[in-house]
Amino acid sequence: MADIQGILDNKEFMAGIMENLMLVRKFEEQVYALYEQGKLHGTTHLGVGEEATGVGSCFALKPQDCVLTSHRGHGQTLAKGADPKDMMAEILGKEAGTNRGRGGSLHIASPGNHVFGTGGIIGASCPVACGMALAFKMCEERDRVAAVFFGDGATSEGAVHEAFNLAAVWQLPVLFICTNNGYAMSTPLRKAVNDMDLTKRAIPFGIRSYEVDGNDVLSVYATVSEARQYVVSRQRPAFIVEHTYRTSGHSKSDVNRYRTREEIAEWYEKNPVSRFSKVLLANGFSQEEIDGIDAKSTGLIAEAVAYAETCPYPAATTEELNAEAYAK
Amino acid sequence: MSGGEVTMRVITYAEAIREAMSQEMRRDEKVFLMGEDIGVYGGAFGVSQGMVREFGSARVRETPISETAFVGAAVGAAVIGMRPIAELMFSDFMSVCWDQIMNQAAKAHFMHGGAVQVPMVIRAASGGGTGAAAEHSQSLENLFCHIPGLKVVIPSTPFDAKGLLVSAIRDNNPVIFLEQKKLYKTTGIVPEKEYVIPLGMADVKRDGKDVSLITYGRMVQMCAEAADKLDAEGISCEIVDLRTLAPLDIGTILSSVKKTRRCVVVQEAPLFSGFGAEIAAQIADSEAFFYLDAPIKRVGGSDSPVPFSAPLEQAAFPTPARIEAQIRATL
């Protein structure tokens, strides 16, 4: 088990976690604001309420680890080290964006930080993660894992089950991370699966599974750290279910017909950012210090938007786009 | 190639493919093969026979019956810098891993703004004529051609198969490499030494002056039979073997058509909405159109699922006689 007291005493680390949680929250709120202002081309899937899953998980990874994001991947990408400026430029469709304006919110990535954007199909990154882990194995990179994020809805996809099987039979260092926010778009988990205990999905494949309160960032960090240690030392996959809740809508089109205001309000009370600020206060941080972190992250996001808005849009003729379809 | 040092032998199409893979695997340790029953069994068509003995089971990697998993794994390994070759027993099986091909493999490079490359090959047995019925006999090349980001290769001879596969393995894009099943046992002269045939280059398999036959894969043979027959009557056919459908060497097609002024496009796949329509359209949309002395004719497979029974299957595919009839229609 991770040394929780050691973590609580590590002020710099605790501040880093808080800064990332706030950065992710403010990033999502800012993207929503841009959408409200009509500045967002296309749609976006925000993860307000799920900040601890991306931050806690990615803090437990090493720089060389690969992350394959879910469709709600802004937080995962930020926490793995992407620059919010580059990400905001991508969201606004600019050439300076992480994907040069070719991907947008859904496919946002940061290859320099080994973050690969999700494709358009839920769960489809799981087989791809197996291939990355296979490459690590074949190249004898023993301290490197592929961490793939997906939601509870994806656990019904065949690709996920095939990937579980392949990772298990080939003993691949894959961290399968399911952020269970209770809804696949509007479909509650109970309507999608017969047994709501998603950890059981790993049993037939002989994959070790973990379960954690996904709104408790330190527990997420500790659990993923432990799972990562298991994966690299045993060279086997692991499955982690992180229970959380998305207080933001699924995407731009969501008017929350499938859940009550009360339910959202109740979960907002349990949101990981407020919750972690209480942990900080109980462990030697002052309110001023927390306000300072808040102000810093607010500043970083404001800077990111200001930068992204001044960046030029990409330009390309049809012929140039045609040429881009292939790598040289 | 300098004449004297080159060993030439007659080998089969399947052996040429195996030789290309083996030579590339010896040259580059990043190259490896994945697929169902490719180890001691040697693959459903025997293409990888003996390879596991030389390269071991880590690099001749047998997979569960799980096309989505291992084709997806090829994508992931390629993104990390490996050069996987995934063997699909039948190209028809692409239906179960189509998302990995169409979305993950084909789009990763573009969608990451060029920062990611997917250097992988999917080899698959394609086409009909073997009595395998509708779901093991399809010619699906046009599906792949319609997905930007994929390259599509269909060799017609052992020589081309080897050189094109070497290029496909070294290419930094996902390449769909389709092997016509009836060609596996065909033979031809192939240099032992490694060589490359660049992707995107058609080959004029036979020079002619009266009509251009634009074709690929098994239909190159059919066209040659038709051309032999017409040759006796003094009708001279030029055969352009596309070899790579995407990217397409339209230049060679147009030059040939401008020279012969007549054109028949021949494909094994169902005629409707097939690759031949693209060729006809590109000719019609170019200055070569003004050179034409007759409408462009197309020959293709039946617009039905491929039937099982031998006489029915024969009726479903182009034959030298049907090709000949369309050639005559242009004269």
Side-chain angles (χ1 to χ4, degrees):
Chain A
M1 254 325 268
D3 171 15
I4 291 286
Q5 193 55 49
I7 295 166
L8 292 172
D9 291 341
N10 185 342
K11 217 166 166 180
E12 199 186 327
F13 183 83
M14 295 281 277
I17 293 242
M18 190 59 181
E19 188 181 320
N20 268 269
L21 286 174
M22 285 181 161
L23 202 61
V24 174
R25 168 68 58 85
K26 288 170 201 298
F27 189 90
E28 299 295 59
E29 288 174 347
Q30 184 59 62
V31 172
Y32 188 75
L34 290 167
Y35 155 63
E36 294 265 278
Q37 293 160 25
K39 290 180 178 169
L40 198 77
H41 181 58
T43 193
T44 185
H45 304 93
L46 302 178
V48 178
E50 299 186 9
E51 296 85 354
T53 58
V55 173
S57 302
C58 288
F59 264 62
L61 301 177
K62 293 203 172 174
Q64 67 269 28
D65 292 344
C66 286
V67 164
L68 295 98
T69 60
S70 72
H71 62 293
R72 216 172 292 290
H74 299 166
Q76 298 145 17
T77 308
L78 276 167
K80 188 69 174 34
D83 189 327
K85 283 187 188 162
D86 302 338
M87 288 178 63
M88 203 59 87
E90 184 62 29
I91 300 270
L92 291 183
K94 302 300 182 74
E95 180 70 28
T98 50
N99 308 42
R100 297 179 52 228
R102 271 69 169 171
S105 165
L106 178 63
H107 308 297
I108 209 158
S110 182
N113 289 298
H114 306 298
V115 180
F116 301 94
T118 184
I121 303 293
I122 294 298
S125 298
C126 290
V128 180
C130 289
M132 291 180 174
L134 174 63
F136 306 155
K137 197 181 173 87
M138 292 180 79
C139 299
E140 293 183 4
E141 292 187 72
R142 296 207 160 260
D143 188 24
R144 198 174 183 195
V145 307
V148 56
F149 287 89
F150 50 93
D152 47 285
T155 64
S156 295
E157 279 281 11
V160 175
H161 294 256
E162 288 199 28
F164 274 19
N165 186 57
L166 198 73
V169 75
W170 284 358
Q171 303 193 339
L172 302 175
V174 182
L175 273 174
F176 293 102
I177 303 178
C178 174
T179 53
N180 172 21
N181 67 16
Y183 290 95
M185 196 162 158
S186 70
T187 306
L189 186 59
R190 67 183 152 74
K191 281 175 134 180
V193 300
N194 186 43
D195 187 336
M196 303 246 288
D197 182 356
L198 295 176
T199 62
K200 287 184 188 164
R201 304 215 156 201
I203 295 173
F205 301 102
I207 293 178
R208 179 181 286 194
S209 61
Y210 300 80
E211 191 169 22
V212 65
D213 174 354
N215 278 24
D216 175 356
V217 70
L218 291 186
S219 291
V220 173
Y221 170 76
T223 303
V224 178
S225 298
E226 188 188 334
R228 188 190 181 283
Q229 181 55 34
Y230 166 79
V231 165
V232 295
S233 64
R234 302 288 301 280
Q235 290 292 302
R236 281 188 167 77
F239 179 43
I240 306 162
V241 180
E242 302 178 352
H243 301 290
T244 184
Y245 190 86
R246 149 176 73 68
T247 52
S248 47
H250 162 73
S251 71
K252 270 168 40 172
S253 63
D254 190 349
V255 289
N256 284 317
R257 284 200 193 98
Y258 54 91
R259 54 185 186 173
T260 62
R261 277 173 207 284
E262 291 72 25
E263 182 183 295
I264 299 170
E266 186 189 316
W267 273 95
Y268 194 79
E269 284 303 305
K270 298 192 276 192
N271 83 79
V273 186
S274 311
R275 186 164 160 187
F276 191 61
S277 78
K278 286 180 198 131
V279 175
L280 289 183
L281 287 170
N283 284 279
F285 278 76
S286 68
Q287 187 58 50
E288 291 69 36
E289 282 174 302
I290 295 171
D291 292 345
I293 296 170
D294 191 324
K296 187 180 169 196
S297 52
T298 304
L300 284 171
I301 296 300
E303 217 176 285
V305 175
Y307 165 78
E309 289 196 314
T310 60
C311 289
Y313 283 103
T317 61
T318 306
E319 289 70 26
E320 285 166 339
L321 286 177
N322 292 349
E324 270 188 49
Y326 290 131
K328 297 273 177 280
Chain B
M1 288 177 287
S2 57
E5 303 154 24
V6 180
T7 311
M8 306 287 260
R9 309 93 1 118
V10 172
I11 61 174
T12 67
Y13 184 88
E15 286 165 343
I17 291 166
R18 184 190 312 144
E19 190 162 273
M21 291 195 289
S22 298
Q23 288 181 349
E24 285 303 287
M25 284 174 70
R26 283 176 209 131
R27 193 186 65 86
D28 181 356
E29 63 181 20
K30 302 278 188 198
V31 180
F32 69 102
L33 178 65
M34 276 193 283
E36 292 154 5
D37 305 293
I38 59 169
V40 286
Y41 195 101
F45 293 91
V47 176
S48 60
Q49 220 158 65
M51 285 180 68
V52 70
R53 227 175 304 132
E54 177 176 356
F55 299 103
S57 57
R59 292 181 73 201
V60 178
R61 183 169 279 272
E62 292 197 286
T63 68
I65 302 176
S66 189
E67 289 82 2
T68 287
F70 77 78
V71 171
V75 177
V79 168
I80 297 301
M82 304 295 285
R83 292 191 173 271
I85 305 165
E87 175 179 306
L88 281 181
M89 219 179 261
F90 292 87
S91 70
D92 312 67
F93 297 175
M94 301 231 191
S95 57
V96 286
C97 52
W98 186 223
D99 168 59
Q100 293 297 331
I101 299 166
M102 174 181 104
N103 288 319
Q104 316 300 325
K107 296 176 176 56
H109 169 70
F110 182 90
M111 225 159 57
H112 284 84
V116 160
Q117 294 185 342
V118 190
M120 62 182 276
V121 179
I122 301 177
R123 290 179 38 242
S126 166
T130 64
E135 299 190 16
H136 292 82
S137 300
Q138 296 174 87
S139 301
L140 299 171
E141 56 272 12
N142 213 28
L143 290 182
F144 314 127
C145 290
H146 207 66
I147 305 299
L150 298 179
K151 293 191 177 181
V152 182
V153 178
I154 310 182
S156 69
T157 67
F159 178 83
D160 286 352
K162 180 174 172 185
L164 288 167
L165 184 53
V166 170
S167 287
I169 293 167
R170 295 182 190 178
D171 199 275
N172 288 326
N173 296 280
V175 180
I176 309 293
F177 193 90
L178 298 170
E179 303 162 3
Q180 217 294 342
K181 298 174 201 89
K182 293 281 278 184
L183 297 180
Y184 277 132
K185 289 180 181 161
T186 60
T187 55
I189 294 170
V190 177
E192 191 174 324
K193 200 168 167 235
E194 69 171 57
Y195 58 93
V196 296
I197 297 173
L199 305 188
M201 273 180 64
D203 183 39
V204 178
K205 285 279 189 290
R206 174 197 283 248
D207 277 313
K209 56 182 178 46
D210 297 324
V211 56
S212 297
L213 309 181
I214 316 293
T215 190
Y216 55 91
R218 177 165 72 116
M219 292 300 117
V220 174
Q221 281 186 348
M222 301 271 182
C223 286
E225 282 182 46
D228 283 344
K229 184 163 178 217
L230 290 167
D231 202 39
E233 296 176 27
I235 299 163
S236 155
C237 298
E238 177 147 304
I239 300 177
V240 177
D241 177 2
L242 297 176
R243 301 195 295 195
T244 304
L245 304 196
L248 179 66
D249 179 3
I250 188 66
T252 299
I253 298 171
L254 298 182
S255 309
S256 176
V257 171
K258 282 197 249 177
K259 183 175 84 174
T260 65
R261 297 175 176 261
R262 293 178 182 86
C263 176
V264 179
V265 183
V266 185
Q267 65 185 40
E268 179 176 340
L271 189 63
F272 182 76
S273 202
F275 193 74
E278 174 64 26
I279 295 168
Q282 289 209 30
I283 295 167
D285 201 2
S286 76
E287 52 157 0
F289 176 76
F290 299 106
Y291 290 74
L292 288 172
D293 287 339
I296 301 165
K297 303 305 286 182
R298 290 183 298 147
V299 183
S302 61
D303 293 323
S304 71
V306 176
F308 161 67
S309 176
L312 289 180
E313 192 179 24
Q314 266 208 323
F317 291 119
T319 56
R322 287 179 56 207
I323 295 166
E324 181 195 331
Q326 291 306 313
I327 294 169
R328 288 188 191 282
T330 67
L331 297 172

